[in-house]
Amino acid sequence: MNFPFRIVGFDLDGTLVDTAGDLTAAVNHALALLDRAPLSEAEVRPMIGLGAKHMLEQGLTATGGVPEGAVERLYPELLRYYGQHIAVHSRPFPGLIDALDRLDALGVRIAVATNKAEGLARQLLAELGLVDRMSAIIGGDTLGVRKPSPDPIHAMIEQSDGGRTAFVGDSIYDVMAAKAAGVPSILVGFGFLDRPAEDFGADHVIGHYDELVPLLEAL
């Protein structure tokens, strides 16, 4: 049978890769420079999704507020630490590699549109052996706009030579961007969700990557 999609796009943090451990460590490194108490991974997970600066601001807010100039001072420190420890704990979610192998075998192009800085996204994917599988990697700083704008998804599709596309993510920004881009949105129920899965308004929800290819085949 002919597979109904030519491109499957993915968000990165909380979708392709469980990065919460390394992002939590980076946030706590920055917080320690202000003598703030560390946050747990469970506390940091819902802060992920709009980029590292937003995550830092949320972390400061949660531990006593945002002093004047603190974000500007701590953000480079957070990025430096994270870049040096980007894949200590981060791993692909269960079933992902098998799903990517199945999509590859079907001739589907696999691509990424993330709000993570493109350089860090490429570094992480390279350290996990995934970067060469991607037909496009659009980061939060690639275009000057980020999700929930549809522009990153449009650019991802264009760089992947076009065709019917589905987008997989774990945040409301992913769902909004996919809807605005006019492509089906698939939510991973195991991602860094900040609300119940049914509250996102995604077209479809999966609970494990084993479900992805059969779902796409049925659309």
Side-chain angles (χ1 to χ4, degrees):
M1 61 171 281
N2 287 329
F3 195 72
F5 293 93
R6 223 173 148 261
I7 303 164
V8 178
F10 294 87
D11 172 54
L12 180 51
D13 296 271
T15 300
L16 281 177
V17 181
D18 186 347
T19 52
D22 292 323
L23 289 170
T24 299
V27 169
N28 284 334
H29 170 76
L31 292 174
L33 297 174
L34 284 187
D35 296 322
R36 297 281 178 93
L39 293 167
S40 70
E41 189 176 305
E43 288 171 308
V44 173
R45 277 175 178 261
M47 300 176 182
I48 301 166
L50 273 182
K53 184 173 284 187
H54 177 263
M55 182 177 66
L56 173 60
E57 290 168 349
Q58 294 281 300
L60 288 168
T61 300
T63 56
V66 185
E68 188 171 345
V71 173
E72 292 71 18
R73 182 163 68 86
L74 296 177
Y75 181 54
E77 286 292 325
L78 185 155
L79 291 182
R80 182 185 61 77
Y81 181 92
Y82 182 61
Q84 293 172 348
H85 305 85
I86 200 167
V88 177
H89 305 291
S90 297
R91 297 292 180 269
F93 279 103
L96 172 72
I97 302 302
D98 287 344
L100 296 185
D101 288 345
R102 291 184 67 186
L103 291 170
D104 279 338
L106 290 162
V108 177
R109 292 178 182 272
I110 301 158
V112 166
T114 174
N115 283 344
K116 196 185 206 76
E118 183 183 334
L120 289 173
R122 289 183 179 276
Q123 180 187 345
L124 175 60
L125 289 166
E127 294 207 23
L128 296 177
L130 296 172
V131 71
D132 292 336
R133 305 187 74 147
M134 304 303 165
S135 58
I137 299 171
I138 307 296
D141 56 350
T142 304
L143 305 174
V145 295
R146 54 182 58 193
K147 300 172 295 184
S149 166
D151 293 357
I153 294 182
H154 288 315
M156 178 196 80
I157 294 169
E158 185 179 333
Q159 289 188 21
S160 302
D161 296 330
R164 190 176 183 216
T165 301
F167 192 72
V168 184
D170 74 313
S171 78
I172 192 65
Y173 316 114
D174 297 321
V175 175
M176 291 169 66
K179 287 186 183 303
V183 304
S185 57
I186 300 167
L187 184 78
V188 292
F190 47 80
F192 303 160
L193 308 190
D194 63 351
R195 66 199 77 181
E198 58 271 14
D199 291 353
F200 283 80
D203 296 318
H204 307 278
V205 178
I206 60 171
H208 190 282
Y209 268 117
D210 292 351
E211 301 167 32
L212 179 61
V213 175
L215 168 64
L216 292 169
E217 283 175 335
L219 296 183

